[in-house]
Amino acid sequence: MSTLADKLANLTPTARRLLEAKLRHKGIEIDRFQILPRSEERDHYPLSFSQQRLWFLHQMEPASSAYHIESPFRIEGPCAPRTLRRALSLLVARHEALRTAFETVDDMPVQRVLPPFEQWLPLVDLSALAPEVRHRVGRRLTRCHVLQPFDLTAGRPLRSAVMRHGDRDHTVLLTMHHIASDGWSLGVLYRELVTAYGGLAAGRSSLFSTLPIQYPDYAVWQREWQAREVFPGQLEYWKAQLDGLPAVLDLPTDRPRPSLQTMAGGQVTLRQEPDLVHRLRALARREKTTLFVVLLAAYYAVLHRWTGVSDLAVGSPIAGRNRLELEALIGFFVNTLVLRADLSGAPTFRGLLGRIREVNGKANANQDLPFEMLVDELQTERSLQHNPLFQVSFSFQSDPGLEAVAEGAGSRGLGEVKIRPQKGEYSATMFDFSLWFTETPRDLSGLLVYNLDLFDRTTVHRFSRRLVDFLEAALADPDASVEQLSNLGAVERHQLLCEWNSTATLHPEDRLLHQWFEWRAELSPQRTALEFAGQTLSYGELNRRANLLARHLLALGVEREELVAVALERGFEMVVALLAILKAGAAYLPIDPSYPRQRLEFMLGDARVRVLLTDTAVNESLPENEARRVLLDASGEEGSAEILAAGDGSNLDLEIEREGLAYMIYTSGSTGQPKGAMNSHGAILNRILWMQERYGLVESDAVLQKTPFSFDVSVWEFFWPLAVGARLVIAEPGGHQESSYLVRLIAEARVTTLHFVPSMLRNFLDELDLAGCSGVRRVISSGEALPSDLARRFAERLP
């Protein structure tokens, strides 16, 4: 939607005056479209919508530096701090936003304009310090200057100081609160500060023309006229555009999202060669679009590849200065657009450019509606964990800023003085992930800002490389699908395909799982292998019983890699059965007797099981099927008690391949039909050998086996301790669900190593007396996200 005010704002001052005269001649009221200066002074004024949001956030966290804007610059050459202070004071008098206090009147926030005052400009002389000390102290002072909280009721949203490094070397520190400033305002501040400093130094008294309006005039206009005539129509567009938008973008973070967003930010510079920027600008011209759209489209594509999400919302700030009278004003005018893009259907990059151009065009046509009002109207659920509507942002600025001011310093009366912008070192972020581009007449600089609570710096570095590599690929073939375009450079591709896949490990002997156990049984046959319900079983006896059962399975016709079902409760016989199946060259299929009857029927039928190992108690609860049942505790034709009591208990000499099937575990079926996941001897052996190399079990260790054997964690619980000669402590059936029982068992059996899913670990730590668990050396946690508060509690209770 283009208003008359929009058209007026896009004209030159001369053309605008001519058009206004013609419109008035035709009886059209121009004043109702303009922001007019107030006709009378008030004691206080309403806040703009953007200011109101920041004011509320400031009430929640008054000590936060998340909305501080850091703007240091270096002055090389003669510097007069007193003149600089007068220049700053002149700007404070000129711009009411720099002398505005924020208060509450009748339970509503208001802004009160204070009379002009002299700006504070403390001078800190560091010139007497050694260079390395000067640098260290300077950084500390800069940090304090940026992080010091603002008292918004005091009416001083601009803080300034000068650090003197030498006679001709000074750093000017400027920190502003966002409630009184934005990125555009910094350019205004820099230009006018240089003009005022040069003019005062030259003795000139008339330096600036009168500003047509002040920020409170804009706030009143936005509240009264815009809310009445512009916002209703634009709100309907945004409601339709954002209907059904997911509340949170599921980013692949390095750490779980904390319960309270801290806004601690880090920065990574995006490095791109000048030639790349030149080619991107050429592509934008060919596609009749802008560099903004090209870069934003690439950002969407890499985010899509990174997250797997096709419905993406990216926040993008706009200057909010589509009125001529706002261009030279310092204040907070920035609005935020929610750019929602659909990347489904594997579009080409050229096709994606068209989609993003359309989304951006429609959003800009409806840019006046304040983001704060949009959030309220959509009744978006608020959360202290993340920003509403979007969590990733994209910013593109083309303001020349301080560098252009510095180049023209001589013409502004500064003579030989050189002004150099300094990069701010201390960042905060309101979002999870942000991409910033700044375009200058010379080049294009990029910056990735990220939440330190969520991401590691190395992760963000990888993203930056992938973005640049994707841009190169898109330039080479813009008609390729964004799904096919590579976002991996040569170095990262080699790392992924070669270095990370170079996992071959030389082991002293090529043993399989059961063969590692056999070796341990031969070395120490009398050592305790299993402990259960107050009884023990030695390595030698366990090996003998497993060998007897393995020979019985072969006599029954069990073939190589055939699935043999095991339906047993936890105990000695379960471990005997698993080892026997592996020794016979077959693979085991765990059947949890507690599963619903329908699931048991499906698993036994789907796996085409011919032989099922169980016992008398469990057998009664199993569904009918065609499998031959071997009752390990019974005699007679179906039993094996006599076989396990006597016979040849020596090791079998079978050749079994490392790639051969060792076991199969069915998935839960929560997302559909359960599926059998098959695992080879080599795969699980690699896992256990890695765990041994990393965590180093010794013979004196005791590992608690409490995970149901239908879960893959149970595999290492069974075979890791038996492969290294340690003791396997078996929890009673159902005992894994009782924290008090586990505490007693760990203490009595002197357990050193165990596994918990985080939710069970929390229950375990809630037990009153954990003194008996002081021998625990390793707790492995997996299966769920591990909250940071739980990790801290674990360290406190089991130090």
Side-chain angles (χ1 to χ4, degrees), residues 434-455:
S434 302
L435 177 59
W436 294 76
F437 282 104
T438 302
E439 186 179 35
T440 68
R442 290 199 185 99
D443 59 13
L444 180 74
S445 61
L447 193 68
L448 282 163
V449 181
Y450 60 97
N451 190 301
L452 288 170
D453 288 330
L454 301 179
F455 296 102

Side-chain angles (χ1 to χ4, degrees), residues 381-448:
E381 183 178 351
R382 301 300 182 96
S383 172
L384 297 177
Q385 290 186 293
H386 56 79
N387 193 69
L389 297 182
F390 67 90
Q391 292 79 49
V392 296
S393 71
F394 178 86
S395 175
F396 187 95
Q397 305 176 59
S398 57
D399 183 25
L402 184 56
E403 288 191 355
V405 174
E407 289 179 358
S411 63
R412 289 176 169 84
L414 298 189
E416 58 181 309
V417 171
K418 293 182 179 179
I419 298 178
R420 301 186 187 280
Q422 299 290 107
K423 180 183 176 182
E425 297 185 36
Y426 309 103
S427 63
T429 178
M430 287 75 78
F431 314 116
D432 296 350
F433 207 78
S434 302
L435 177 59
W436 294 76
F437 282 104
T438 302
E439 186 179 35
T440 68
R442 290 199 185 99
D443 59 13
L444 180 74
S445 61
L447 193 68
L448 282 163

Side-chain angles (χ1 to χ4, degrees), residues 132 169 172 188 223 258 290 316 467 486 513 561 573 720 725 765:
E132 65 275 8
D169 187 6
V172 179
V188 175
R223 290 280 179 176
T290 62
S316 182
L467 180 61
S486 174
L513 282 179
E561 297 187 52
E573 300 311 322
W720 183 22
L765 295 176

